[in-house]
């Protein structure tokens, strides 16, 4: 495989980078969280590539310099999103064990973080491969040495299919994608006619009124026959995403998910009966976002006897950091029901800038910094000097502007926020947090910066 890692980080080649002071010279301190899941060379190149980092006291800087600088939370420029080292390691280990207990492989949805350091940590714990939402993401994953990537989409862009054709010539890299239409199959066949080997594809089943995927099983079998007859494609299995259902546990959504997931094994059985997987070595059956992986594991726990081995793959991504709200409501490993739950590993720290009215404070954090698509941040505590004052529901973020957060509070006395305090915020939906921060410090339990991870959105 061509190693493009040395040209990967863009910041160093930008014209303006040459005219600015670079980061303080520091030894290349590798990430201790990353482990050995990806090759060291591209990670080292990423670690030493300068990047603008608005929460760091020196910018541009590098991940290696941040790890070596001896920084603490109090040194960061606020607002700052940080990762909790202990919670992150716990979640990595906990979900890997959970998948093993279910007898399922894990191909985490790596678009959640777009962080090679965190992909490496996931692969180091036995992940089968990585899931990408787009071909561009898959290209980045390949450039860092990921051995196997599932593109969870039908690919019909000519340039992207040319990239896939090139990837199919690489014996050390395995790429798969989805199909959900005859038109898509024809486009792929034309673009991949001269590829070194057939592209393995999974037939996508969908939900009426929602996202992509074939709605009807008979239509799905017709499409599977078309794929099986194609010299450019191999039918490798079936895929679905149950996260298009409402992701909550307090209504009939779980029952609807269970009923719908039965379609995957039904399709696999019928397709195998017709010999449609003849070009594959195994049959992949995959689903599983972060809200219902338990329902997927249950649905796939007793696959039918097929002519080929069945590989069951779960594709959760948000488990890595969990969160305080969205995932804490929906995950099977949430604190309300699990003996050893996942823990929130993402936080944002923001300064109290103003107290313009009784019961209201303005924070220096907004939509440019934290997620707001599902929930607003939840205030956990005030940090005042060396003290941490829990808020215990006595404050709430009620609105976000681009760079201001409206904090309403009922707390009185010492627990009432004052200008200059730091508010520790829990977040919701990690997918829309990571994309805002190209470099994220990792803190230990004493508030020391012990690692740093890059993101590549």
């Amino acid at each position: 495989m061509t190693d493009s890692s040395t040209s990967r980080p863009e910041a160093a080649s930008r014209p303006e980078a040459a005219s600015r002071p670079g980061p303080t010279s520091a030894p290349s301190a590798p990430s201790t969280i990353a482990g050995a899941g990806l090759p060291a060379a591209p990670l080292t190149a990423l670690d030493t590539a300068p990047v603008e980092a608005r929460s760091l006291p020196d910018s541009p800087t590098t991940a290696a310099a941040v790890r070596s600088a001896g920084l603490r939370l109090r040194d960061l420029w606020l607002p700052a999103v940080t990762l909790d080292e202990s919670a992150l390691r716990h979640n990595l280990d906990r979900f890997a064990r959970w998948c093993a207990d279910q007898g399922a492989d894990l191909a985490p949805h790596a678009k959640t973080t777009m962080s090679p350091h965190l992909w490496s940590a996931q692969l180091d714990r036995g992940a089968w491969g990585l899931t990408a939402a787009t071909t561009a993401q898959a290209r980045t994953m390949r450039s860092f040495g990921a051995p196997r990537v599932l593109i969870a989409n039908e690919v019909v862009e000519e340039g992207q299919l040319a990239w896939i054709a090139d990837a199919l010539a690489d014996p050390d890299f395995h790429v798969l994608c989805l199909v959900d239409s005859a038109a898509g199959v024809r486009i792929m066949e034309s673009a991949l006619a001269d590829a070194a080997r057939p592209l393995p594809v999974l037939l996508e089943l969908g939900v009426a009124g929602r996202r992509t995927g074939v709605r009807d099983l008979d239509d799905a079998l017709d499409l599977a026959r078309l794929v099986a007859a194609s010299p450019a494609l191999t039918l490798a299995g079936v895929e679905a995403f149950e996260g298009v259902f409402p992701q909550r546990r307090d209504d009939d959504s779980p029952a609807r998910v269970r009923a719908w997931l039965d379609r995957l094994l039904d399709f696999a059985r019928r397709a195998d009966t017709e010999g449609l997987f003849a070009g594959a070595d195994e049959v992949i059956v995959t689903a599983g976002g972060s809200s219902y992986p338990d329902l997927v594991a249950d649905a796939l726990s007793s696959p039918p006897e097929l002519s080929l081995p069945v590989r069951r793959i779960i594709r959760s991504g948000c488990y890595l950091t969990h969160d305080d709200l969205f995932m804490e409501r929906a995950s099977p490993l949430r604190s309300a029901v699990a003996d050893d739950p996942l823990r929130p590993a993402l936080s944002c720290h923001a300064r109290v800038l103003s107290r313009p009215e009784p019961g209201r404070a303005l924070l220096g954090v907004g939509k440019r910094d934290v997620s707001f698509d599902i929930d607003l941040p939840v205030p956990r505590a005030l940090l005042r000097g060396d003290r941490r004052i829990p808020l215990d529901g006595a404050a709430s973020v009620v609105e976000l502007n681009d760079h201001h957060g409206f904090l309403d509070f009922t707390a009185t006395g010492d627990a009432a926020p004052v200008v200059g305090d730091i508010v520790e915020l829990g977040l919701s939906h990690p997918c829309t947090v990571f994309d805002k921060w190209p470099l994220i410090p990792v803190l230990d339990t004493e508030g020391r910066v012990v690692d740093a991870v890059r993101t590549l959105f």
Side-chain angles (χ1 to χ4, degrees):
M1 175 168 57
T2 302
D3 183 3
S4 59
S5 60
T6 56
S7 61
R8 170 76 213 156
E10 298 88 355
S13 63
R14 294 202 308 265
E16 64 269 27
S19 63
R20 300 183 189 177
T24 302
S25 177
S28 180
S31 167
T32 59
I33 286 173
L38 290 175
L43 290 179
T44 299
L46 182 64
D47 282 340
T48 55
V51 62
E52 298 288 353
R54 64 185 185 276
S55 68
L56 275 298
D58 294 312
S59 181
T61 187
T62 70
V66 172
R67 294 183 196 123
S68 303
L71 299 171
R72 301 182 69 94
L73 172 61
R74 63 173 175 258
D75 299 313
L76 301 182
W77 285 27
L78 304 186
V81 161
T82 61
L83 285 162
D84 180 302
E85 180 194 29
S86 176
L88 192 61
R89 291 184 184 277
H90 168 81
N91 294 348
L92 283 161
D93 293 336
R94 179 69 180 95
F95 202 74
R97 292 196 308 272
W98 184 87
C99 288
D101 290 344
Q102 309 304 314
D105 287 302
L106 174 64
H109 218 320
K111 60 95 175 176
T112 298
T113 67
M114 284 303 293
S115 172
H117 299 106
L118 298 179
W119 299 340
S120 183
Q122 291 170 307
L123 291 165
D124 196 40
R125 287 161 173 81
W128 174 84
L130 301 176
T131 299
T134 69
T135 309
Q137 292 172 0
R139 179 174 60 183
T140 300
M141 294 168 194
R142 182 189 180 198
S143 76
F144 280 89
R148 186 182 289 109
V149 177
L150 166 59
I151 303 172
N153 253 319
E154 184 172 70
V155 181
V156 296
E157 292 280 346
E158 182 179 348
Q160 295 173 17
L161 286 166
W163 179 86
I164 288 177
D166 175 74
L168 289 170
D170 181 353
D172 297 322
F173 179 69
H174 302 277
V175 61
L176 307 85
C177 75
L178 309 184
V179 294
D180 82 341
S181 68
V185 168
R186 287 192 291 270
I187 291 171
M188 289 184 192
E189 282 184 316
S190 176
L192 300 174
D194 297 324
R197 52 190 162 101
L199 170 66
V201 298
L202 308 180
L203 192 139
E204 182 177 19
L205 299 180
V207 176
R210 301 306 299 158
R211 254 162 46 177
T212 50
V214 183
R215 274 41 173 170
D216 179 80
L217 274 184
D218 289 334
D219 292 342
L221 286 166
D222 287 342
L223 181 59
R225 296 181 190 108
L226 188 63
V227 172
S230 171
L233 306 175
T234 295
L235 185 64
V238 58
E239 182 273 351
F241 177 57
E242 76 291 344
V244 297
F245 289 95
Q247 298 181 56
R248 53 190 303 167
R249 299 274 177 162
D250 59 353
D251 63 8
D252 67 345
S253 296
R256 294 166 62 197
V257 169
R258 288 188 186 94
W260 182 74
L261 285 169
D262 289 341
R263 294 156 53 91
L264 275 78
L265 294 182
D266 191 14
F267 170 86
R269 178 186 56 78
R270 294 171 65 180
D272 186 65
T273 298
E274 295 189 31
L276 302 181
F277 299 118
D281 297 324
E282 61 185 6
V283 177
I284 294 172
V285 184
T286 177
S290 298
S291 295
Y292 297 127
D294 55 328
L295 305 188
V296 173
D298 289 346
L300 305 185
S301 62
S302 300
E305 287 292 329
L306 303 183
S307 60
L308 294 169
V310 176
R311 184 178 296 278
R312 295 171 291 144
I313 300 175
I314 289 171
R315 305 195 313 276
S316 307
C318 292
Y319 78 88
L320 183 64
T321 61
H322 197 56
D323 68 22
D324 287 69
L325 296 163
F326 177 44
M327 287 294 101
E328 180 60 15
R329 292 190 297 265
S331 170
L333 295 176
R334 61 195 185 279
S335 61
V337 298
D339 292 333
D340 187 13
L342 299 173
R343 304 173 191 164
L346 269 176
S347 302
C348 182
H349 298 85
R351 190 77 64 178
V352 177
L353 303 180
S354 177
R355 280 275 309 271
E357 303 168 10
R360 170 157 289 183
L362 271 294
L363 309 181
V365 64
K367 293 179 179 179
R368 302 293 182 94
D369 310 304
V370 293
S371 55
F372 56 91
D373 53 321
I374 297 177
D375 302 287
L376 297 179
V378 57
R380 294 181 190 145
L382 296 178
L383 306 183
R384 185 179 296 152
D386 293 329
R387 300 172 60 199
R388 185 179 188 276
I389 305 169
L391 286 169
D392 296 328
S396 61
V397 175
V398 297
E399 183 181 347
L400 290 178
N401 294 164
D402 278 0
H403 295 287
H404 290 87
F406 294 70
L407 181 78
D408 285 357
F409 61 92
T410 58
T412 59
D414 208 34
V418 299
V419 172
D421 281 347
I422 296 172
V423 179
E424 177 190 305
L425 299 166
L427 305 176
S428 182
H429 196 199
C431 295
T432 49
V433 178
F434 277 96
D435 63 333
K436 297 172 173 59
W437 298 89
L439 190 155
I440 303 179
V442 181
L443 304 180
D444 68 7
T445 55
E446 302 299 318
R448 294 175 294 215
V449 176
V450 293
D451 207 333
V453 302
R454 286 288 313 275
T455 69
L456 299 172
F457 285 92

